[in-house]
mmCIF file of all heavy atoms in Angstrom:
data_model
loop_
_atom_site.group_PDB
_atom_site.id
_atom_site.type_symbol
_atom_site.label_atom_id
_atom_site.label_comp_id
_atom_site.label_asym_id
_atom_site.label_seq_id
_atom_site.Cartn_x
_atom_site.Cartn_y
_atom_site.Cartn_z
ATOM 1 N N ARG A 193 -58.567 87.516 35.318
ATOM 2 C CA ARG A 193 -57.207 88.078 35.109
ATOM 3 C C ARG A 193 -56.959 89.296 35.997
ATOM 4 O O ARG A 193 -55.797 89.637 36.258
ATOM 5 C CB ARG A 193 -57.023 88.427 33.628
ATOM 6 C CG ARG A 193 -57.058 87.202 32.748
ATOM 7 C CD ARG A 193 -57.080 87.532 31.278
ATOM 8 N NE ARG A 193 -55.756 87.801 30.774
ATOM 9 C CZ ARG A 193 -55.481 87.919 29.460
ATOM 10 N NH1 ARG A 193 -56.449 87.758 28.558
ATOM 11 N NH2 ARG A 193 -54.261 88.157 29.069
ATOM 12 N N THR A 209 -55.526 83.771 29.735
ATOM 13 C CA THR A 209 -56.093 83.786 28.378
ATOM 14 C C THR A 209 -57.446 84.496 28.450
ATOM 15 O O THR A 209 -57.940 84.829 29.533
ATOM 16 C CB THR A 209 -56.331 82.364 27.829
ATOM 17 O OG1 THR A 209 -57.360 81.724 28.587
ATOM 18 C CG2 THR A 209 -55.065 81.519 27.885
ATOM 19 N N GLY A 210 -58.036 84.677 27.278
ATOM 20 C CA GLY A 210 -59.412 85.141 27.233
ATOM 21 C C GLY A 210 -60.349 84.085 27.769
ATOM 22 O O GLY A 210 -59.972 82.935 28.031
ATOM 23 N N HIS A 211 -61.595 84.475 27.915
ATOM 24 C CA HIS A 211 -62.627 83.557 28.439
ATOM 25 C C HIS A 211 -62.870 82.424 27.457
ATOM 26 O O HIS A 211 -62.779 82.611 26.240
ATOM 27 C CB HIS A 211 -63.923 84.335 28.665
ATOM 28 C CG HIS A 211 -64.894 83.637 29.556
ATOM 29 N ND1 HIS A 211 -65.780 82.685 29.078
ATOM 30 C CD2 HIS A 211 -65.118 83.730 30.885
ATOM 31 C CE1 HIS A 211 -66.500 82.239 30.087
ATOM 32 N NE2 HIS A 211 -66.126 82.851 31.191
ATOM 33 N N SER A 213 -65.513 81.265 26.503
ATOM 34 C CA SER A 213 -66.769 81.431 25.770
ATOM 35 C C SER A 213 -66.532 81.409 24.282
ATOM 36 O O SER A 213 -65.562 82.002 23.774
ATOM 37 C CB SER A 213 -67.416 82.760 26.170
ATOM 38 O OG SER A 213 -68.472 83.066 25.275
ATOM 39 N N PRO A 214 -67.413 80.780 23.506
ATOM 40 C CA PRO A 214 -67.301 80.850 22.042
ATOM 41 C C PRO A 214 -67.473 82.250 21.489
ATOM 42 O O PRO A 214 -67.164 82.513 20.335
ATOM 43 C CB PRO A 214 -68.398 79.897 21.540
ATOM 44 C CG PRO A 214 -69.303 79.694 22.687
ATOM 45 C CD PRO A 214 -68.513 79.906 23.940
ATOM 46 N N LEU A 215 -67.968 83.186 22.323
ATOM 47 C CA LEU A 215 -68.135 84.581 21.911
ATOM 48 C C LEU A 215 -66.848 85.387 22.061
ATOM 49 O O LEU A 215 -66.808 86.552 21.676
ATOM 50 C CB LEU A 215 -69.256 85.235 22.731
ATOM 51 C CG LEU A 215 -70.640 84.590 22.626
ATOM 52 C CD1 LEU A 215 -71.630 85.322 23.516
ATOM 53 C CD2 LEU A 215 -71.111 84.567 21.180
ATOM 54 N N ASN A 216 -65.821 84.786 22.617
ATOM 55 C CA ASN A 216 -64.516 85.456 22.760
ATOM 56 C C ASN A 216 -63.913 85.685 21.376
ATOM 57 O O ASN A 216 -63.450 84.751 20.721
ATOM 58 C CB ASN A 216 -63.600 84.599 23.633
ATOM 59 C CG ASN A 216 -62.163 85.126 23.690
ATOM 60 O OD1 ASN A 216 -61.905 86.256 23.277
ATOM 61 N ND2 ASN A 216 -61.257 84.300 24.163
ATOM 62 N N ARG A 217 -63.890 86.923 20.949
ATOM 63 C CA ARG A 217 -63.438 87.240 19.582
ATOM 64 C C ARG A 217 -61.946 86.991 19.409
ATOM 65 O O ARG A 217 -61.487 86.686 18.300
ATOM 66 C CB ARG A 217 -63.767 88.690 19.252
ATOM 67 C CG ARG A 217 -65.274 88.965 19.150
ATOM 68 C CD ARG A 217 -65.542 90.418 18.758
ATOM 69 N NE ARG A 217 -66.964 90.679 18.640
ATOM 70 C CZ ARG A 217 -67.466 91.868 18.332
ATOM 71 N NH1 ARG A 217 -66.650 92.905 18.111
ATOM 72 N NH2 ARG A 217 -68.781 92.034 18.239
ATOM 73 N N ALA A 218 -61.176 87.114 20.474
ATOM 74 C CA ALA A 218 -59.736 86.880 20.361
ATOM 75 C C ALA A 218 -59.415 85.405 20.118
ATOM 76 O O ALA A 218 -58.378 85.072 19.563
ATOM 77 C CB ALA A 218 -59.021 87.350 21.626
ATOM 78 N N ARG A 219 -60.314 84.526 20.544
ATOM 79 C CA ARG A 219 -60.141 83.071 20.379
ATOM 80 C C ARG A 219 -58.755 82.629 20.841
ATOM 81 O O ARG A 219 -58.080 81.821 20.185
ATOM 82 C CB ARG A 219 -60.374 82.668 18.912
ATOM 83 C CG ARG A 219 -61.785 82.993 18.420
ATOM 84 C CD ARG A 219 -62.080 82.389 17.074
ATOM 85 N NE ARG A 219 -63.402 82.754 16.607
ATOM 86 C CZ ARG A 219 -64.533 82.166 16.990
ATOM 87 N NH1 ARG A 219 -64.491 81.171 17.859
ATOM 88 N NH2 ARG A 219 -65.706 82.549 16.532
ATOM 89 N N ASP A 220 -58.325 83.173 21.978
ATOM 90 C CA ASP A 220 -57.002 82.846 22.482
ATOM 91 C C ASP A 220 -57.029 81.748 23.546
ATOM 92 O O ASP A 220 -55.987 81.425 24.107
ATOM 93 C CB ASP A 220 -56.305 84.095 23.018
ATOM 94 C CG ASP A 220 -57.101 84.779 24.131
ATOM 95 O OD1 ASP A 220 -58.288 84.437 24.329
ATOM 96 O OD2 ASP A 220 -56.552 85.684 24.786
ATOM 97 N N PHE A 221 -58.204 81.191 23.830
ATOM 98 C CA PHE A 221 -58.252 80.072 24.767
ATOM 99 C C PHE A 221 -57.929 78.744 24.066
ATOM 100 O O PHE A 221 -57.082 78.007 24.567
ATOM 101 C CB PHE A 221 -59.613 79.997 25.459
ATOM 102 C CG PHE A 221 -59.713 78.845 26.422
ATOM 103 C CD1 PHE A 221 -59.177 78.934 27.677
ATOM 104 C CD2 PHE A 221 -60.336 77.661 26.041
ATOM 105 C CE1 PHE A 221 -59.246 77.861 28.562
ATOM 106 C CE2 PHE A 221 -60.401 76.584 26.903
ATOM 107 C CZ PHE A 221 -59.864 76.684 28.177
ATOM 108 N N PRO A 222 -58.557 78.432 22.932
ATOM 109 C CA PRO A 222 -58.198 77.176 22.249
ATOM 110 C C PRO A 222 -56.719 77.160 21.889
ATOM 111 O O PRO A 222 -56.173 78.113 21.356
ATOM 112 C CB PRO A 222 -59.083 77.196 20.992
ATOM 113 C CG PRO A 222 -60.261 78.042 21.393
ATOM 114 C CD PRO A 222 -59.695 79.117 22.257
#
Side-chain angles (χ1 to χ4, degrees):
R193 295 171 83 170
T209 68
H211 197 275
S213 167
L215 301 178
N216 173 13
R217 293 182 179 179
R219 299 190 182 279
D220 57 349
F221 179 81

